[in-house]
Amino acid sequence: MRFFIDYDNGDVIHGWIVPDNPLAVSRVVVSVEGQRVAEVSATITEPAFQRSGWHSTGQCVFVLRESEVPGLAAIPVLELYDADTNVLVYRRVLREGLIDRRVLLIHTGIHPEVGLQNALFPYFQQSHFGIHKLSDEIVTSVLGNETPTSRLIAGALVVPRYEQYFPPDRMLSAILVHDPHVKMATRMLWLKARSKVVAEDDAGWRVDRYAEAALFVDDYDYTDQKSLKRFFRMLPEQAYHLLYNPLSRQLGTRLPDDRLHPGNSIVAIEILARLGIVGHRTYFDAFASTLFDQIGLEGGLPLPAPVPISDEALALAERLRAVKAVADMLVFDIAMSDAVLMSLAKSWNH
């Protein structure tokens, strides 16, 4: 799916959505204060979409007027979503107080930093969270669209694949590095929590590619050191892929299934050095305050709390530090994490 808003004149909103299905007619949902108030289909044909091979008929352009959305000109805040994917296409908001900058928050943990996202959301016209869950066409459409200029994007992107879309002069990028052992522990517990979901009839789709791994972990006791050692000897490919140097994979490969070699860790370090703001969860307040300062929110907003890490995850992380197989699986990530920590320790106190 690709999309673009040509203009919003208050009483008229004009834009287009090219759906993934080249035969489908796109539909846009209008939402006001969280309530769906209208659904409008594309009515205008644009031959350029046919010539480019994006769509069979080119019927992708929609126009919203008072006839489709009564009182459109007087609505101060509204959102437009693609009806098929529920992807945010456009957000009309009051311009006062908005940050006129594009910001990309790169998540590296299995759980997004929702506190940080929620704190920043009101200050941007357009926000896209969980960007990594969208199709490649949608991701490139979002990242490549230089309007609006007030935009917040967050997710666990495979950075080398999309780095061309966020050079420093176009977008501020920020990444938060995690302790590799804690990160592995949270991923292992994430799999364990989903084992029951996969066991349900016809529910494996909720876990997608990690269904087999989720069933596998259910046979192991994370609190027992011997069981942990067996766990790492018997890892299926899906689980290995999820747990093996995930930061190096995210920063050093172009596709999720690419094999990770030592050379990729060098690429990962080079990319890490090119990102705008690099923080470590150990210094979360330093990361958040630096980000707020860079976008002009310094002193005007309380710092959010990081996503809490359970005592169970912290205890599991300590047990993982004693497993030799874990050290081998995280060798690249540990090196990067330690380098970031050493750099931050010179400038910040806990």
Side-chain angles (χ1 to χ4, degrees):
M1 187 189 83
R2 298 174 174 88
F3 58 87
F4 190 80
I5 300 299
D6 299 306
Y7 55 83
D8 177 359
N9 290 340
D11 58 342
V12 179
I13 300 177
H14 188 285
W16 51 264
I17 299 174
V18 179
D20 291 333
N21 182 352
L23 295 174
V25 175
S26 57
R27 295 167 296 127
V28 63
V29 171
V30 184
S31 176
V32 178
E33 296 183 353
Q35 299 295 317
R36 178 174 171 158
V37 299
E39 180 178 306
V40 179
S41 298
T43 56
I44 301 174
T45 297
E46 173 52 65
F49 297 144
Q50 289 178 288
R51 291 195 299 268
S52 63
W54 288 7
H55 198 264
S56 296
T57 67
Q59 187 176 337
C60 304
V61 182
F62 63 87
V63 181
L64 300 180
R65 300 185 180 88
E66 296 276 338
S67 55
E68 288 82 17
V69 185
L72 177 63
I75 300 175
V77 179
L78 62 78
E79 295 170 340
L80 305 183
Y81 294 88
D82 173 59
D84 294 323
T85 64
N86 203 38
V87 170
L88 177 66
V89 173
Y90 174 70
R91 183 172 178 238
R92 174 197 283 181
V93 294
L94 300 175
R95 298 296 303 180
E96 183 179 358
L98 287 184
I99 294 170
D100 193 29
R101 194 163 188 183
R102 300 184 191 90
V103 176
L104 172 63
L105 184 60
I106 302 170
H107 293 311
T108 63
I110 197 74
H111 303 295
E113 289 294 339
V114 291
L116 193 55
Q117 291 181 173
N118 292 341
L120 293 174
F121 175 78
Y123 299 95
F124 290 87
Q125 179 181 356
Q126 198 105 332
S127 295
H128 294 276
F129 299 148
I131 187 89
H132 60 285
K133 298 179 181 179
L134 305 178
S135 70
D136 180 69
E137 289 80 5
I138 298 176
V139 174
T140 53
S141 181
V142 170
L143 292 175
N145 183 0
E146 297 191 26
T147 56
T149 55
S150 177
R151 169 169 281 182
L152 173 64
I153 303 170
L157 285 180
V158 178
V159 179
R161 183 173 179 83
Y162 300 106
E163 189 185 15
Q164 60 180 311
Y165 294 103
F166 51 91
D169 61 337
R170 185 186 300 175
M171 191 177 297
L172 173 65
S173 56
I175 188 169
L176 188 66
V177 177
H178 291 236
D179 176 283
H181 293 93
V182 176
K183 184 174 178 176
M184 176 180 277
T186 57
R187 288 179 173 228
M188 289 170 63
L189 291 172
W190 180 86
L191 280 176
K192 179 79 77 171
R194 277 143 187 82
S195 62
K196 295 180 181 178
V197 174
V198 177
E200 297 176 7
D201 291 339
D202 301 321
W205 61 270
R206 300 182 196 173
V207 189
D208 195 20
R209 62 184 300 175
Y210 297 113
E212 179 187 346
L215 288 176
F216 165 80
V217 303
D218 202 34
D219 294 332
Y220 293 86
D221 180 4
Y222 290 167
T223 64
D224 180 76
Q225 207 70 11
K226 291 183 178 179
S227 181
L228 275 179
K229 291 179 180 179
R230 290 196 303 272
F231 173 86
F232 286 102
R233 284 199 302 268
M234 304 299 293
L235 276 179
E237 183 177 357
Q238 291 175 334
Y240 185 83
H241 186 281
L242 182 69
L243 302 177
Y244 181 75
N245 288 300
L247 180 61
S248 298
R249 184 183 302 280
Q250 186 177 351
L251 297 180
T253 62
R254 291 186 59 84
L255 296 172
D257 291 324
D258 282 352
R259 291 183 63 83
L260 187 63
H261 302 285
N264 297 111
S265 67
I266 299 174
V267 173
I269 293 171
E270 292 174 348
I271 286 182
L272 191 67
R274 291 200 293 266
L275 297 178
I277 300 174
V278 178
H280 197 286
R281 202 179 188 282
T282 305
Y283 292 88
F284 181 85
D285 284 354
F287 174 75
S289 61
T290 301
L291 177 59
F292 286 6
D293 177 74
Q294 287 286 310
I295 62 179
L297 283 176
E298 71 282 4
L301 189 67
L303 293 180
V307 172
I309 300 174
S310 68
D311 291 340
E312 183 182 14
L314 293 174
L316 175 56
E318 290 306 309
R319 288 191 290 272
L320 292 174
R321 296 181 201 277
V323 179
K324 184 181 183 302
V326 171
D328 295 337
M329 289 185 67
L330 296 178
V331 60
F332 303 145
D333 282 12
I334 290 173
M336 275 198 290
S337 175
D338 288 349
V340 173
L341 271 176
M342 289 176 60
S343 176
L344 291 172
K346 295 177 182 178
S347 306
W348 298 89
N349 295 318
H350 288 286

